[in-house]
Amino acid sequence: MALPSWAPAEIDLSKPSAARVYDYYLGGSHNFEVDRNQADEAIRQWPDLPKIMQENRGVLRRAVRYCVSQGIRQFLDIGSGIPTVGNVHEVAQRADPSCRTAYVDIDSIAVAHSRAILADNRNTTVVQADMRYPDQILHDPDVRRLIDFDQPVAVLMLAVLHFVSDEDDPQDITRYYREALVPGSMLAISHATFEGQPEKALKHSELYRRTGTPMWWRSKAEITAMFGEFELVEPGLVWFGRWRPDPEDEVDTDPQRATGYAGVGVKR
């Protein structure tokens, strides 16, 4: 098939990409048939999935706007996937064109796509790195070129920590990032939980094993611990749709259907 301009020539179209599957859920155009087939299979098992993913993306938009409203102009988006369909730099730069965003992802496919998409945006950079090794990310020259860690930074870990195993200790990983930030910085987390719909969560985990990115579903208490000493801003750690919804948002009357919690913490 003829690849579009945003797609690097070396990508393998025989396997779905978690980043492109997510893009499909969001209604984006940076995906292929192999990704759509997996997504459609997941949707047959769990019809709410596109809504859940869109609610998570809604958390991202609202969290970025909140951070900008609090004076933050630097964003480190870890596990960023493909930056399309209202991603961090778009939301932040709409509020203030001077905002800078460093995208980090372990997936070479997502990174290659991202670099092609953002080639002309001087206030963004894309780094391929593993979030489990914070020191490499925090001292990466491209990240350092764009992000001044002597000033407040918003670290975004949205829908990524549930891809970190218990053995790799996500609480310790987030602690390392928190300690690198100055007061006034923020940490945004969204994370899948089994507490809403445990049976569907198990089936969804089986599908994600095909992409090479298995999922770990965690409790509200475990996710809260990832914020450490950071003070959770109102309304705390809540179901996706309940985190500072906009007036025009339709908040699900049964919000646990989102099967995920979201929150933003600030370093005092």
Side-chain angles (χ1 to χ4, degrees):
M1 63 174 291
L3 293 175
S5 60
W6 55 266
E10 68 272 15
I11 65 171
D12 180 0
L13 294 183
S14 67
K15 296 180 180 180
S17 156
R20 295 195 309 259
V21 169
Y22 186 54
D23 176 76
Y24 177 67
Y25 286 138
L26 296 176
S29 59
H30 296 83
N31 52 75
F32 296 104
E33 183 177 6
V34 65
D35 309 304
R36 296 188 286 271
N37 288 342
Q38 167 151 328
D40 288 340
E41 180 179 350
I43 292 169
R44 283 192 292 272
Q45 293 184 8
W46 197 346
D48 286 336
L49 274 179
K51 179 176 175 58
I52 292 170
M53 302 304 178
Q54 290 158 15
E55 286 191 350
N56 182 70
R57 181 48 57 98
V59 170
L60 180 148
R61 289 192 295 268
R62 299 193 298 273
V64 170
R65 290 204 310 263
Y66 175 78
C67 291
V68 173
S69 76
Q70 300 303 300
I72 291 180
R73 297 296 182 268
Q74 307 183 104
F75 296 85
L76 178 61
D77 186 3
I78 300 175
S80 53
I82 299 173
T84 185
V85 192
N87 216 302
V88 176
H89 71 282
E90 296 176 337
V91 178
Q93 290 176 6
R94 191 176 300 125
D96 185 337
S98 71
C99 287
R100 304 183 302 280
T101 303
Y103 290 109
V104 180
D105 205 284
I106 191 174
D107 184 345
S108 59
I109 294 172
V111 169
H113 290 326
S114 301
R115 286 174 175 163
I117 294 167
L118 297 174
D120 297 328
N121 194 316
R122 299 181 63 184
N123 278 346
T124 66
T125 191
V126 184
V127 173
Q128 183 174 359
D130 189 332
M131 70 175 297
R132 295 174 301 173
Y133 304 101
D135 196 57
Q136 294 180 10
I137 294 174
L138 295 171
H139 292 92
D140 182 274
D142 283 336
V143 171
R144 287 279 173 175
R145 174 181 61 80
L146 210 62
I147 305 297
D148 178 3
F149 287 96
D150 291 329
Q151 300 296 322
V153 178
V155 174
L156 310 177
M157 296 182 172
L158 300 175
V160 64
L161 286 162
H162 48 236
F163 295 121
V164 177
S165 70
D166 292 338
E167 181 179 347
D168 286 320
D169 196 351
Q171 293 184 14
D172 190 57
I173 290 171
T174 57
R175 176 191 59 79
Y176 198 110
Y177 288 102
R178 295 194 312 268
E179 290 179 350
L181 302 177
V182 300
S185 296
M186 296 192 178
L187 172 64
I189 293 174
S190 67
H191 195 299
T193 182
F194 55 80
E195 293 178 346
Q197 302 186 66
E199 293 182 2
K200 289 184 177 179
L202 177 60
K203 290 182 179 179
H204 196 56
S205 294
E206 293 170 357
L207 278 175
Y208 261 84
R209 291 192 186 99
R210 299 182 191 177
T211 67
T213 50
M215 293 180 67
W216 280 262
W217 304 72
R218 297 188 171 95
S219 68
K220 185 175 185 178
E222 289 174 307
I223 301 166
T224 300
M226 296 175 187
F227 288 94
E229 75 286 2
F230 277 39
E231 178 184 323
L232 281 166
V233 302
E234 290 294 333
L237 188 70
V238 294
W239 300 107
F240 289 166
R242 293 290 173 91
W243 198 85
R244 293 178 175 262
D246 293 325
E248 66 274 14
D249 289 344
E250 293 183 11
V251 179
D252 198 325
T253 56
D254 184 15
Q256 71 179 21
R257 289 171 61 189
T259 66
Y261 291 114
V264 173
V266 58
K267 186 170 188 175
R268 300 297 188 188

